[in-house]
Amino acid sequence: MDIFSSWNFVLWGASCLVVLVVAVSAYALGNYVGCNKGRIRLIKDKSKRNNALANLYRKERHTYILQIDALRKELSQLTIESELYVQREAEIATFEQKLREYDRALCMLSSDTPDTFASNIVPLLVQLKGDPVRTNLSKAEWNELLTVSDLLFNLYLTKLKDKFSITRHEQEICCLIKWNFSRKDQLAVFNNTAEALAKSKNRLKKRLQLDEKVDIDQYIRLY
């Protein structure tokens, strides 16, 4: 092999090596970009879920603030000795506890720590709130919603189950009440008649050993 042929061979080998390096680099770059896009998408999805849940909490929190303001105005017109005054004070204390729970949840959602609540809770609540008529939750989705609600609201479902042995459907009713679903929305979520829902709530009221005149929705919200 003469010098010219040897030089051509070296050039050919170098060219192949350059092509190989470029191909490997392109593959590595593409894989890196793809992974980054995936991570960015996950971060955006998490941020979107957290923002939706935070907005929901802020709305519920605002409701409690309005209720507290209304109760404080009513208190100013009552005598300290009256039974109603004591009752309103207790209600205010309960609502203030709810505000602390929402503040804690909002603080955790705004932090950089991993999701505290199950990721599906946001779309479930948003979907139920926005379109209860056409939303049919699976058993697994109900399980997640009940679990997260129990954790957020100071284990209220656990306490009711342990103390009164409430049924699964009664837990679902309590869950919707806690999230301030109206009676109309409750009917839509359960795809039930007004009479059937009333019977279910009466059974729940008896299980909780409440007087017939007690507003079960108000009782659960304050529990």
Side-chain angles (χ1 to χ4, degrees):
M1 180 180 295
D2 56 23
I3 296 176
F4 181 76
S5 298
S6 298
W7 182 243
N8 282 341
F9 178 77
V10 170
L11 288 178
W12 179 81
S15 300
C16 290
L17 181 60
V18 169
V19 171
L20 179 61
V21 170
V22 170
V24 171
S25 299
Y27 174 79
L29 179 61
N31 189 53
Y32 175 78
V33 172
C35 290
N36 270 355
K37 287 182 177 179
R39 284 194 292 269
I40 292 172
R41 184 170 59 252
L42 289 176
I43 292 172
K44 287 182 177 179
D45 288 345
K46 175 184 174 181
S47 177
K48 185 177 180 181
R49 292 195 304 268
N50 284 354
N51 286 338
L53 187 54
N55 289 334
L56 185 60
Y57 288 166
R58 291 189 186 99
K59 182 178 178 181
E60 300 294 334
R61 183 180 181 278
H62 181 65
T63 299
Y64 285 124
I65 290 176
L66 294 178
Q67 290 173 318
I68 289 174
D69 290 342
L71 288 171
R72 289 195 184 282
K73 290 179 181 178
E74 186 179 347
L75 272 183
S76 64
Q77 301 172 0
L78 297 172
T79 60
I80 297 178
E81 295 79 11
S82 71
E83 181 179 344
L84 189 56
Y85 186 96
V86 176
Q87 181 181 342
R88 292 296 181 263
E89 275 194 325
E91 290 177 355
I92 288 175
T94 301
F95 285 135
E96 287 176 339
Q97 172 62 29
K98 300 300 181 186
L99 287 181
R100 288 192 289 273
E101 291 173 358
Y102 279 113
D103 287 340
R104 184 170 63 252
L106 286 168
C107 181
M108 298 171 83
L109 283 171
S110 62
S111 69
D112 294 327
T113 56
D115 284 340
T116 304
F117 306 112
S119 60
N120 288 338
I121 190 64
V122 176
L124 288 181
L125 285 173
V126 172
Q127 189 176 353
L128 278 175
K129 286 276 188 178
D131 190 12
V133 176
R134 287 186 288 274
T135 299
N136 294 309
L137 298 186
S138 66
K139 184 177 180 179
E141 289 171 331
W142 266 117
N143 285 340
E144 187 166 16
L145 183 56
L146 293 173
T147 299
V148 175
S149 298
D150 192 36
L151 290 173
L152 178 60
F153 295 111
N154 199 28
L155 301 179
Y156 77 105
L157 284 177
T158 298
K159 294 173 183 177
L160 290 174
K161 285 187 292 183
D162 291 345
K163 188 174 182 179
F164 301 104
S165 301
I166 64 174
T167 66
R168 168 58 179 246
H169 182 54
E170 289 167 350
Q171 293 175 46
E172 294 171 354
I173 293 175
C174 291
C175 180
L176 295 188
I177 292 173
K178 273 292 188 183
W179 287 108
N180 283 331
F181 277 70
S182 66
R183 180 173 174 275
K184 179 180 178 182
D185 288 341
Q186 292 172 35
L187 289 171
V189 170
F190 294 126
N191 191 23
N192 224 338
T193 63
E195 182 181 3
L197 181 61
K199 287 182 178 179
S200 295
K201 288 188 175 183
N202 283 333
R203 284 194 296 269
L204 174 60
K205 193 180 298 185
K206 289 180 180 178
R207 197 180 300 276
L208 300 182
Q209 302 173 11
L210 300 176
D211 188 88
E212 291 183 0
K213 297 180 180 179
V214 172
D215 184 337
I216 187 64
D217 286 45
Q218 183 71 358
Y219 176 85
I220 294 299
R221 288 191 182 104
L222 295 174
Y223 188 85

